[in-house]
Amino acid sequence: SRPLSRSCSPCRLPSDSPLSPNNCTQVVRQESLTAKFNDLYTCERLNAMDTLRNFCDDYENNQRIIFASVQEAFSVAKRNFADWKIRARSTVALTHLGPETLEEAVQNYINRNMDLYDLPCMTSEVICGLNNNPKICLPVGVSYSIISSFIREACRIAWEMSTLAYPLDTALAIDAEVMDETKYRRTYDSEYSAPLVNHHIWPCLMQGTRVISKGEVCTKRGASLNRSRQRNSSPLRSCLRNRSSSPVRRAR
């Protein structure tokens, strides 16, 4: 729902317009949210990884869970915001008289009321989405709600990024895609000569086609082959193997 399709070019809008990329609200909130997104990676992500490690010792699977959580949070946030903005436009249109345009009035309304969203519901939607993701797993009886605090913060940031006049979003990511140096940096355990992404660690943050903050990936040779093997060997089975190999059973 970006206002880029209007006949008036964004660069020609006065800086005090809420739809201008140079508007102080847009600039300050964008910088603040980018910093929060980076903090989510450096702090909350590590805490979530520690929590997951208590239930599943498959490090790559846990990395995939974290990445999928952030991607799902942005997907849920964008979907919820699209519905919320339709209702907001209807509300503003009932009393709008000008002199600002309706789109400017709507964005002003959004800026003032961006806290009117159901965070617990969005968190639950993300957890449901993770349950349907075939690339990740947890042992039987363990729910993705064990990292609900991380998911909740990801949803909060994703929502606030969606409410910007020029929203921030995560880049589309596919296993075995060609490594893009402009969007991602490699992990320390990557094969630096490998051209394909084995799995994603952290999403790339973008504004349209512009990279705001690089993501992180692990590259390995034969990444596409690894992906094929994962289809044949269910990750759930791997988690169950890790769970069943308890000290008591080994002693027997």
Side-chain angles (χ1 to χ4, degrees):
S1 55
R2 290 184 192 178
L4 296 181
S5 60
R6 298 186 309 276
S7 59
C8 181
S9 173
C11 62
R12 295 180 182 177
L13 290 170
S15 60
D16 60 345
S17 169
L19 299 180
S20 170
N22 299 319
N23 179 269
C24 61
T25 300
Q26 168 78 24
V27 173
V28 172
R29 287 184 57 211
Q30 180 174 319
E31 291 179 353
S32 174
L33 289 170
T34 302
K36 288 181 180 179
F37 185 77
N38 292 333
D39 288 342
L40 189 69
Y41 167 78
T42 56
C43 299
E44 285 87 346
R45 179 185 68 92
L46 297 181
N47 294 334
M49 285 291 291
D50 288 340
T51 300
L52 289 170
R53 193 179 301 116
N54 293 329
F55 298 92
C56 181
D57 58 6
D58 187 333
Y59 187 68
E60 180 180 321
N61 176 68
N62 293 345
Q63 288 179 320
R64 289 177 180 269
I65 291 174
I66 295 297
F67 179 80
S69 298
V70 179
Q71 292 289 78
E72 189 68 28
F74 272 83
S75 177
V76 168
K78 287 186 293 183
R79 185 167 62 247
N80 279 266
F81 175 70
D83 294 338
W84 185 83
K85 187 174 182 179
I86 291 174
R87 296 193 298 271
R89 180 180 284 106
S90 299
T91 300
V92 173
L94 292 175
T95 57
H96 176 67
L97 298 174
E100 60 185 357
T101 66
L102 177 60
E103 287 299 320
E104 288 177 324
V106 170
Q107 187 59 47
N108 275 326
Y109 179 88
I110 292 172
N111 292 342
R112 292 192 303 266
N113 299 280
M114 63 181 182
D115 293 333
L116 300 178
Y117 64 103
D118 191 342
L119 186 57
C121 181
M122 288 172 56
T123 303
S124 297
E125 286 186 52
V126 171
I127 293 175
C128 288
L130 296 178
N131 286 329
N132 296 324
N133 191 327
K135 297 180 181 178
I136 57 177
C137 74
L138 281 175
V140 175
V142 180
S143 168
Y144 291 106
S145 60
I146 60 174
I147 56 169
S148 60
S149 59
F150 172 82
I151 294 173
R152 188 181 304 111
E153 186 61 22
C155 287
R156 188 195 312 276
I157 294 173
W159 171 269
E160 293 186 13
M161 287 184 171
S162 298
T163 64
L164 292 171
Y166 297 90
L168 302 178
D169 195 4
T170 54
L172 177 66
I174 305 173
D175 283 353
E177 67 178 327
V178 177
M179 166 65 182
D180 188 342
E181 299 283 353
T182 63
K183 293 183 179 180
Y184 300 102
R185 57 182 177 273
R186 287 180 168 89
T187 56
Y188 70 93
D189 57 343
S190 292
E191 296 178 18
Y192 279 74
S193 60
L196 301 181
V197 173
N198 183 65
H199 64 282
H200 296 76
I201 311 297
W202 194 249
C204 170
L205 187 66
M206 303 189 70
Q207 187 175 59
T209 58
R210 183 165 70 100
V211 174
I212 301 297
S213 180
K214 280 189 175 185
E216 187 173 0
V217 297
C218 177
T219 56
K220 291 183 180 179
R221 290 199 172 277
S224 58
L225 297 177
N226 293 336
R227 189 183 180 193
S228 298
R229 284 197 294 270
Q230 287 170 2
R231 289 198 190 101
N232 297 329
S233 177
S234 169
L236 179 59
R237 189 174 299 173
S238 174
C239 279
L240 291 175
R241 282 201 300 267
N242 292 336
R243 190 183 180 204
S244 63
S245 58
S246 63
V248 175
R249 183 162 299 196
R250 284 198 298 269
R252 290 178 183 175

